[in-house]
Amino acid sequence: MAEFQEVNEKSDLHPKPAGLVLQYGTAGFRTKAGNLDHIMFRMGLLAALRSRKTSAAIGVMVTASHNPEEDNGVKLVDPMGEMLAPAWESYASQLANAEQTDLVVTLKNIIEKEAIVMSQSANVFVGRDTRSSSVLLSQAVLDGVSALGGVSKDYGLVTTPQLHFMVCCHNTQGEYGEPTVDGYYKKLCQAFSQLCKNASNRTDDQKHLTVDGANGVGALKVREIEGHIKKELQISLVNDCGGKLNHQCGADFVKVQQKPPTGMKVNAGERCCSFDGDADRIVYYYIDSEGRFHLLDGDKIATLISTFLKELLIQAGLELNLAVVQTAYANGSSTQYLENTMKVPVRCTKTGVKHLHHAALEFDIGVYFEANGHGTVLFSKAAQEKIQQLTEDSNTNDERKRAVLLLQSTINVINQTVGDAISDMLLVEAILAIKGMTAQQWDAIYTDLPNRQLKVKVADRCVIDTTEAERRAVSPAGLQDCIDGLVKKYPHGRSFVRPSGTEDVVRVYAEADTQDNADALAHEVSVAVYRMAGGVGAEPKPL
C-alpha cells in the first residue's frame, strides 16, 4: 500500500532511540523532550487511524502539563473531547516502542485488529503549549498524520482544555459550540456574564482576582479572555510567560509547597488562583490577617460547586441525582461534609481523571475533582433536556425560572470535556459573586484535616498492589495490617499507599488531627513501606 511507503520514508526522519521504552500513562507520554520526536510522529499515525476508526476528528495535544520546562509529552483526545479509549492506550504503547523495522507491521496489526478502512478520511486537530520544544514536536505529529494521508488542523498555542473543547465542537457539528478559540471564549464568557447579572452590589475588591499563569499557555489565554469579562472580573496576572514554565509557580507548586508562588506578593484576604502549565488544573488560596496561608484545592472547589448546584436544583424543583467523585487523596473532612451535612453521595475512584470522568457519567450531574485541582462537572443529556424544558415552560414560576436559568448558564460556563482552569475559574468566581462570599467564608465551609504526602524510593513499585480505589494495599503481605495498626495510634488518622504511575516510588498519604500527628503517621508508614516493599537508599527520616 502506497501510504506505508511514505510512513517508512518519514519515519527515518523521526528515528526511535535504541532501547527506549515508554508507556502511555494517565497523562499520555511524558519524559525529557529530546526523547519524544519519534513518539510524536507515531502518535500522528495513531491519531489518523483513530480518526478513521471513529469517523470523527481526533485531537493531539503536545504538552507536559505541570512538569519542568525541559520535559514534554503528548495526550490524545477522543471524539467527544474525552481522553483516549483504554484499548487504544495499548496501541499507543505498541507503536511507541516498535523498532524502526517493525513500525509498519505494528501499524498493519492495529489496522487489521480494528478493521480500519484506510480509504476513510482522517481528521486530526493539533495543539501545543509554550515549551520551546513543542514547535518541532508538534511538527512531528503533523508529519505522522500526513504520512498516513490524514488531514490536520494546527491550532498552535492553545490550552489542553481548549483543544478538547474544539474536538467536541467539531464532532457535534457545532452543537457544543464553535470549534475555534474565539468560539470557546464566546460560549464561556456569555454564560459567565449571565451568571454575574445575579450578583448584586459587588464591590471592586470582590471583582478582583490575582491569577498565577505558571508562565504557561494559560497566561496567554487569560490575556485574551480579559477583554470579554472586564466588567465582571478584574484580573491581575502574574507569571505571564516572563519566567520559566512551572518554576516555583503554578498549581502543582502551590499545592505541594503549601505557599504562594515565589516572589508573588499576596495581601491579606486577597483572592488568588494558580493554573498549571497547560491550564487544566486550578487551585485557589489566600493569606489571612495573621499571615497564614490557606489553600482552596480541588476538594474545596468541588464542595463549593456541588453546594451551589444542590441549592439550584431544590429551588428549581428538579429531582436529579447529583454526586461528587473523589479519589483517596480527597481530604477526609470534605468527604464527611458532603455526605453528612450536604447529603450528597460521594464516589471514590482510582487516581487519574479518566477514572473520575467515567464514574461521573453514571449520575445526572457528576462533579469530579482531584485534590490537585483537575476537575469539571458533567451533566447528562437527560438532565440538560429537563433543564431546557423548564426554561421554556410558561407555567414555571419566577423563583423556579431564575434557578433553571442559572443552571443553564452554569452548564454553558463549564467545559464538560475535561478539567479546565479557565472554565473552573469563571464558575468559581460566578458562584462566589452570586452567594456574596469571600475566600475566607468559602474556606470556612469545612476545615481540612492536616495531611502530608511523601514518597519512598523502591526497587520495583509493582510490588505494591491495591484495592478499594487504592485505599488498601493487598501486597506485599502484612503491609496493610501494619498501616492499620499505625493509623489507630492517631486521632482522625487515615493513611494509604499506592505505586506511582510514572516512577519507581511509592506514594504515601496520611492525615490526622494535628500537623505533627499527620507528619508522624506519614513517616511511620513510609518506614513500613521502605522495610516491606524493597526500599532503595537511606531509610526515611522523620520530618
Side-chain angles (χ1 to χ4, degrees), residues 326-376:
Q326 300 180 324
T327 71
Y329 285 107
N331 194 278
S333 287
S334 72
T335 310
Q336 287 175 13
Y337 176 79
L338 287 164
E339 290 183 328
N340 301 335
T341 305
M342 285 305 301
K343 308 297 182 190
V344 171
V346 176
R347 172 77 61 85
C348 186
T349 73
K350 289 170 67 175
T351 305
V353 285
K354 63 184 177 185
H355 301 298
L356 287 92
H357 190 97
H358 185 72
L361 289 168
E362 296 174 24
F363 305 97
D364 291 326
I365 304 174
V367 180
Y368 76 80
F369 272 86
E370 290 192 296
N372 62 26
H374 192 158
T376 188

Side-chain angles (χ1 to χ4, degrees), residues 30 86 151 166 224 226 260 287 405 410 441 446 471 517 536:
R30 199 177 290 181
V151 175
M166 290 181 288
E224 290 176 7
E226 274 185 297
I287 303 288
L405 288 173
T410 300
Q441 289 168 326
Y446 68 85
R471 288 175 290 187
N517 280 346
V536 172

Side-chain angles (χ1 to χ4, degrees), residues 207-213 222-223 226 233-240 264-265 270-273:
K207 289 182 181 181
H208 183 261
L209 175 68
T210 299
V211 178
D212 157 32
V222 166
R223 280 275 180 254
E226 274 185 297
L233 187 63
Q234 280 90 52
I235 292 173
S236 294
L237 182 62
V238 298
N239 297 316
D240 59 350
M264 178 172 146
K265 186 179 185 305
E270 184 181 347
R271 199 168 65 254
C272 306
C273 68

